[in-house]
Amino acid sequence: MLTLTYRGTTSVPVELEGIVPDKLQALSPSSIERLPIFHGNQSVALGELFRVAGDASDEQVALHGELAGVHWIGAKMQSGTLRIEGNAGRHVGSELHGGAIHVAGNVADWLGAEMKSGLIHVRGSAGDQAGAAYRGSARGMTGGTLLIEKNSGSEAGYLMRRGLIAVGGDTGDFPAWNMIAGTMLVFGTTGMRAAAGMRRGTLAIFGRPPQLLPTFRAAGRCNPTFLRLYFAELRARGFSVDERLATTELRMHSGDALTVGKGEVLTRAS
């Protein structure tokens, strides 16, 4: 395993784009120390801000230190495992293509933005736009699994096309905004305008039901089998799910009627 320990004390943002297990696998520690990263608008060697120990031949990388000001960790990663033993900045796992990223703390905005495959598991909370599309892009998350144990900010799942997002706590406003397809599970409550502009896909909210937009219509009650399969998969990945939810009756709402109207929002019936 390769261990990177952040030793910077600067308040200037650090960008770690390209420092991922699949690219480090064949490099020696001294070569890794010379890799360029950005400190503000200046390119510096990785070794100036990080202590490097071990090797990455097994595609296992661990990052230590206070990384809240370090951004783009795991961006475009293809394979391997990346562990962040604390907090992290923006764009963690952005455009992830494969492998797994585990975060022990909290992350900032754009977690898993436009991710395509793989797993991101955050034990803390996330900022805005988790699993979302960048401004001007046609699609957000198109595959993979994004797990957030606590809360997430606004616009989670914006333009999501495929994959799974699970939030153990609450979300901000506009969850599943303009969702094209995919599944988003929120075990707490949501902010306003949940699933606004939804085309297809599923948003399931297991906390206090939100006030849905008038462009969603009631479509009966249900207890979908597919949710129990998701719950089992989440538990297998170490994500806590209340066992009572497997038998909880849900209300189904179809919409958004302003679009093709083939999406569904599931909320607790009682």
Side-chain angles (χ1 to χ4, degrees):
M1 175 184 287
L2 180 75
T3 300
L4 302 177
T5 303
Y6 183 58
R7 57 187 181 186
T9 57
T10 174
S11 60
V12 176
V14 175
E15 296 183 1
L16 213 60
E17 193 169 4
I19 308 302
V20 290
D22 50 281
K23 291 187 177 180
L24 302 179
Q25 182 185 22
L27 300 179
S28 67
S30 59
S31 296
I32 293 172
E33 289 177 341
R34 293 193 295 271
L35 290 174
I37 61 173
F38 271 89
H39 178 214
N41 62 358
Q42 301 295 315
S43 178
V44 300
L46 176 72
E48 289 188 25
L49 295 174
F50 287 84
R51 183 170 66 251
V52 179
D55 69 84
S57 59
D58 57 359
E59 287 194 285
Q60 304 288 312
V61 177
L63 286 95
H64 296 264
E66 182 44 65
L67 300 162
V70 180
H71 311 296
W72 299 98
I73 299 174
K76 299 183 180 179
M77 179 171 144
Q78 300 278 343
S79 60
T81 301
L82 184 61
R83 297 187 180 277
I84 302 171
E85 305 296 342
N87 301 323
R90 297 183 294 272
H91 307 284
V92 171
S94 171
E95 297 183 63
L96 183 73
H97 284 71
I101 299 175
H102 298 272
V103 185
N106 303 319
V107 299
D109 302 341
W110 301 108
L111 169 70
E114 300 188 13
M115 68 181 286
K116 297 166 174 57
S117 186
L119 167 70
I120 303 176
H121 191 165
V122 176
R123 300 288 178 177
S125 296
D128 297 335
Q129 294 96 17
Y134 286 117
R135 300 306 188 218
S137 293
R139 294 179 179 178
M141 179 175 175
T142 57
T145 301
L146 178 54
L147 308 179
I148 303 166
E149 295 268 2
K150 295 184 179 179
N151 303 320
S152 75
S154 299
E155 299 182 21
Y158 167 57
L159 280 172
M160 180 179 182
R161 175 64 180 84
R162 193 178 289 111
L164 169 67
I165 298 176
V167 181
D170 304 332
T171 73
D173 298 334
F174 289 96
W177 176 29
N178 283 1
M179 176 185 271
I180 301 169
T183 302
M184 184 171 177
L185 310 178
V186 179
F187 292 91
T189 62
T190 66
M192 63 181 182
R193 293 180 175 81
M198 170 186 270
R199 303 174 204 176
R200 295 176 179 82
T202 299
L203 170 62
I205 304 165
F206 301 106
R208 175 175 48 81
Q211 180 66 48
L212 295 177
L213 293 168
T215 46
F216 284 83
R217 63 179 178 83
R221 299 191 178 202
C222 62
N223 180 240
T225 300
F226 80 89
L227 285 179
R228 293 196 288 275
L229 298 176
Y230 272 129
F231 295 162
E233 176 64 18
L234 290 174
R235 290 193 192 98
R237 294 187 180 275
F239 189 98
S240 178
V241 178
D242 188 338
E243 293 184 359
R244 293 173 294 182
L245 291 177
T247 57
T248 298
E249 188 177 42
L250 302 173
R251 286 193 175 94
M252 180 183 292
H253 313 265
S254 62
D256 187 337
L258 291 178
T259 64
V260 296
K262 295 184 177 181
E264 60 183 18
V265 178
L266 305 175
T267 61
R268 296 180 73 136
S270 60

